[in-house]
Amino acid sequence: MAIIKLSATERRRASAFITCLVLALCAWIVVTLSTTYNYNVREILAFKNAPLKRAFHSLQSDTVSVTVKGSGWQMLLSKINEQNHIIKVDLSKLDSEAYVVLSAQLAEINSEKALDNQITAITPDTLYFDFTNRSVRRVPVQLVKSVKYQQQYTQSGDVVIKPAYVTISGPSNRIDKIKYWRTDSLSLKNIGENVSTQINLEASAEGNISIYPKTVQVNIPVDEFTEKTLELPVKLVGNVDFFNVKVFPQKVKVTITTSLNRYTELDEDLFEAQADLNLWRVYGYNTLPVKVTRLPAYCKIVNVEPRNIDFIVKK
């Protein structure tokens, strides 16, 4: 293949040509993107000033197509940043009407937009709503949590949520089916001390349901846990025929885990161990398994020794 050799003059001319071509292309791009265009984008509807005495349900999608007058730069950015397009629609007229005309609110909507990025039209222009009876009720807050603790630490008491109830309002046919309201997920790792934090409530998926308040305070008691061993008398149950029964041994050793703060408070009176004689009478068991049927909250059974006891029945 032949190699074209250019003289110094020819190289300077070629370099100047390429430079001019690049500059011309850049100038064309700048002029093109600086020109004003009408372009369409999708925007999400956000409602404000919802009627207090009427429950509503939108009969169309929560997104609309809008025609925007702006520069080519803005048109380019709108394609890149599509998640931040929101139109705030005033619903105050729903106190007396069943629809909202968006073109009548263009001035108010555009007041929240940049002057060089104004909306000229919205499709659909009219939003229609269905109305039902409105209900208000209080429901408990349900904490959604995923908490991982440091070794030998764990939750040592009930979670306290303030407020424990929230007020929800909306269509009766929806509100009456709601038994509780979830929080956003609380995810914590390597916890070794009490947790006190504020967390948002889960957002309503429907624009016609409102929640108050929107945040709650969550307190989770956390303590270091240790083991403790107690001797518990075995209580015999299921002796419906009132046989004279003796059990061996009469007490079992129960090992539990408990928080250090409650270690000295725990005694045998807070626990109960049982053996069911029905297992012999109905199923023919030769020994009776021991079950701990009563223990304080946040205590865990580690071991029961022995797990089975012998017995003698005198008829």
Side-chain angles (χ1 to χ4, degrees):
M1 181 177 178
I3 299 176
I4 300 175
K5 294 184 178 181
L6 300 177
S7 64
T9 302
E10 290 172 331
R11 287 198 297 271
R12 286 196 298 271
R13 289 176 179 176
S15 176
F17 174 77
I18 293 173
T19 302
C20 292
L21 182 62
V22 171
L23 291 175
L25 180 61
C26 292
W28 177 81
I29 292 174
V30 170
V31 171
T32 300
L33 292 179
S34 299
T35 304
T36 300
Y37 299 93
N38 288 325
Y39 57 93
N40 293 327
V41 295
R42 302 291 294 180
E43 300 218 4
I44 301 171
L45 296 176
F47 299 136
K48 63 180 182 178
N49 299 328
L52 298 178
K53 298 181 180 180
R54 302 184 78 188
F56 63 90
H57 173 67
S58 178
L59 297 179
Q60 50 274 311
S61 170
D62 62 352
T63 61
V64 292
S65 175
V66 302
T67 301
V68 179
K69 184 177 182 180
S71 68
W73 295 107
Q74 291 163 330
M75 180 172 62
L76 180 63
L77 290 174
S78 71
K79 302 300 182 183
I80 298 174
N81 194 20
E82 291 183 346
Q83 295 182 345
N84 293 328
H85 296 301
I86 296 177
I87 292 179
K88 293 183 179 180
V89 179
D90 189 344
L91 300 184
S92 57
K93 286 189 175 296
L94 291 187
D95 284 323
S96 57
E97 304 287 349
Y99 59 90
V100 171
V101 180
L102 297 180
S103 58
Q105 299 186 24
L106 266 184
E108 183 179 355
I109 292 171
N110 281 327
S111 66
E112 300 180 0
K113 303 283 186 180
L115 293 177
D116 55 354
N117 193 29
Q118 298 288 287
I119 295 174
T120 59
I122 303 176
T123 305
D125 182 52
T126 304
L127 302 180
Y128 293 93
F129 295 85
D130 179 37
F131 295 92
T132 60
N133 293 329
R134 190 174 185 86
S135 293
V136 179
R137 64 181 300 203
R138 295 174 72 242
V139 295
V141 176
Q142 184 182 78
L143 176 63
V144 179
K145 65 182 176 72
S146 174
V147 182
K148 295 183 179 179
Y149 301 93
Q150 295 180 17
Q151 189 173 4
Q152 289 189 291
Y153 285 82
T154 191
Q155 182 179 329
S156 61
D158 293 336
V159 175
V160 177
I161 303 175
K162 296 182 179 180
Y165 288 79
V166 292
T167 301
I168 59 175
S169 61
S172 298
N173 60 348
R174 286 287 296 114
I175 294 298
D176 294 344
K177 296 178 182 178
I178 298 175
K179 304 303 180 184
Y180 54 84
W181 200 273
R182 297 176 184 269
T183 66
D184 284 345
S185 180
L186 176 64
S187 182
L188 302 171
K189 294 181 179 179
N190 201 33
I191 299 302
E193 60 184 4
N194 293 338
V195 175
S196 180
T197 185
Q198 192 173 61
I199 188 169
N200 293 329
L201 293 176
E202 189 176 60
S204 173
E206 303 176 40
N208 55 349
I209 294 180
S210 59
I211 314 111
Y212 181 82
K214 296 186 181 299
T215 61
V216 292
Q217 182 71 28
V218 175
N219 298 302
I220 304 176
V222 177
D223 197 4
E224 186 175 2
F225 272 58
T226 188
E227 290 188 356
K228 185 172 186 176
T229 300
L230 302 168
E231 281 197 351
L232 303 181
V234 179
K235 179 180 178 181
L236 190 68
V237 297
N239 189 7
V240 295
D241 295 319
F242 301 101
F243 294 134
N244 183 10
V245 183
K246 290 186 178 181
V247 297
F248 306 95
Q250 295 182 341
K251 290 186 176 182
V252 293
K253 290 184 178 180
V254 177
T255 303
I256 61 168
T257 58
T258 182
S259 69
L260 289 177
N261 288 336
R262 302 179 63 190
Y263 186 89
T264 58
E265 301 174 3
L266 297 181
D267 57 28
E268 290 80 0
D269 294 336
L270 300 175
F271 298 80
E272 186 173 281
Q274 293 183 356
D276 189 354
L277 193 63
N278 276 323
L279 296 176
W280 163 75
R281 188 175 61 84
V282 178
Y283 301 104
Y285 278 40
N286 294 322
T287 60
L288 301 178
V290 178
K291 292 184 178 180
V292 178
T293 57
R294 177 164 56 86
L295 71 161
Y298 301 101
C299 289
K300 293 182 179 180
I301 303 297
V302 176
N303 188 39
V304 178
E305 183 63 36
R307 293 184 178 275
N308 296 277
I309 59 172
D310 296 315
F311 63 97
I312 295 176
V313 178
K314 295 182 180 180
K315 297 184 180 181

